[in-house]
């Protein structure tokens, strides 16, 4: 098992985890799909898949030749409770905020350069977003993602952004690392981040940091997402104030103090679109 001194990971273990994640993302996959999708060497792929099946992480259907997640993956997943306290405490506050605004409220954690949604309060009526708990989106194209990245040290945020290919999802998506660093820095100073049709045309989002590793044990952020057609000249200032209040309430319920997180003041919402990616 090889180990890279600059990046101390065990190659075979990393490859096994990558296979499990790939199959999980696909639902099921054939040997050829796994081989080509992950560029695995054929010589070792069979042995790796057999090992994962023997350990219960994968199942192999001999009839259709498909691999899927095994019982062991489910068992381990059920044991993970790291986010449950945060989600359980936040959800009632999110529900009230969603009902009062008539818009979708989302709670996400940072995993690498992706935001993972752990709780969602869908808008009570009208257009509803297709997001769901467990969904993962690249952070560079979302407001909640940039809010999460703003809690990292600048060097760490840059390292993560440079580690993956950043797709352009709309005409406004920012993919230039320098421009993204600037947006994340501005979000850190302002205490909030925006998505102005960067992930999806016709959709806007304003997000604030919620807890950090030092405070709540994980990087978490809270957002309000809405169709562009339902925003007005007051956006996002008219959404930011109740969003910040909800975030403060959740932190108080958790007993978390976040001295390093910037709380947007009223003056910050007078002209808050200056951190939007209009030049994307």
């Amino acid at each position: 098992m090889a180990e890279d001194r600059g990046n101390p990971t065990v190659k075979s273990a990393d490859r096994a985890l990558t296979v499990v994640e790939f199959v999980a993302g696909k639902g099921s996959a054939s040997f050829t799909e796994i081989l080509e999708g992950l560029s695995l060497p054929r010589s070792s792929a069979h042995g790796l898949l057999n090992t994962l099946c023997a350990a219960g992480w994968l199942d192999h259907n001999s009839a259709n030749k498909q691999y899927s997640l095994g019982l062991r993956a489910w068992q381990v997943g059920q044991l993970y409770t790291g986010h449950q306290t945060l989600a359980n405490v936040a959800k009632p506050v999110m529900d009230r905020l969603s009902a009062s605004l008539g818009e979708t409220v989302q709670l996400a954690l940072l995993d690498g350069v992706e935001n993972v949604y752990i709780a969602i309060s869908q808008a009570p009526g009208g257009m509803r977003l297709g997001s769901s708990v467990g969904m993962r989106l690249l952070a560079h194209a979302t407001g909640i993602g940039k809010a999460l990245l703003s809690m990292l040290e600048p060097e760490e945020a840059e390292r993560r952004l440079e580690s993956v290919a950043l797709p352009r999802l709309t005409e406004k998506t920012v993919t230039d690392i320098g421009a993204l660093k600037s947006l994340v820095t501005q979000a850190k100073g302002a205490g909030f981040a925006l998505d102005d049709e960067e992930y999806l045309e016709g959709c806007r989002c304003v997000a604030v940091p919620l807890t950090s590793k030092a405070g709540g044990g994980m990087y978490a952020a809270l957002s309000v997402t809405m169709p562009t057609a339902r925003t007005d000249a007051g956006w996002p200032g008219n959404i930011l104030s109740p969003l910040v209040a909800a975030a403060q309430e959740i932190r108080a319920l958790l007993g978390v103090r976040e001295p390093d997180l910037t709380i947007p003041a009223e003056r910050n919402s007078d002209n808050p679109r200056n951190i939007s990616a209009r030049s994307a």
Side-chain angles (χ1 to χ4, degrees), residues 235-246:
W235 183 88
N238 54 353
I239 301 295
L240 185 58
S241 294
L243 175 60
V244 169

Side-chain angles (χ1 to χ4, degrees), residues 160-175:
R160 294 193 189 195
L161 289 169
E162 290 179 338
S163 68
V164 298
L166 302 176
R168 183 178 294 275
L169 304 175
T170 74
E171 291 185 356
K172 293 187 176 182
T173 307
V174 180
T175 59

Side-chain angles (χ1 to χ4, degrees), residues 43-60:
S43 58
S44 60
H46 273 296
L48 177 61
L49 289 169
N50 288 339
T51 299
L52 289 170
C53 287
W57 290 96
L58 294 181
D59 279 334
H60 182 242

Side-chain angles (χ1 to χ4, degrees), residues 237-257:
N238 54 353
I239 301 295
L240 185 58
S241 294
L243 175 60
V244 169
Q248 291 175 320
E249 181 179 354
I250 293 169
R251 284 196 286 268
L253 290 170
L254 290 169
V256 171
R257 294 183 178 182

Side-chain angles (χ1 to χ4, degrees), residues 168-189:
R168 183 178 294 275
L169 304 175
T170 74
E171 291 185 356
K172 293 187 176 182
T173 307
V174 180
T175 59
D176 177 76
I177 298 298
L180 282 168
K181 284 173 55 182
S182 178
L183 288 174
V184 170
T185 299
Q186 291 177 51
K188 187 180 187 72

Side-chain angles (χ1 to χ4, degrees), residues 120-141:
I120 298 175
S121 297
Q122 286 280 7
M127 182 184 295
R128 293 164 64 90
L129 297 175
S131 55
S132 59
V133 172
M135 180 178 287
R136 307 170 71 94
L137 299 178
L138 284 168
H140 76 288

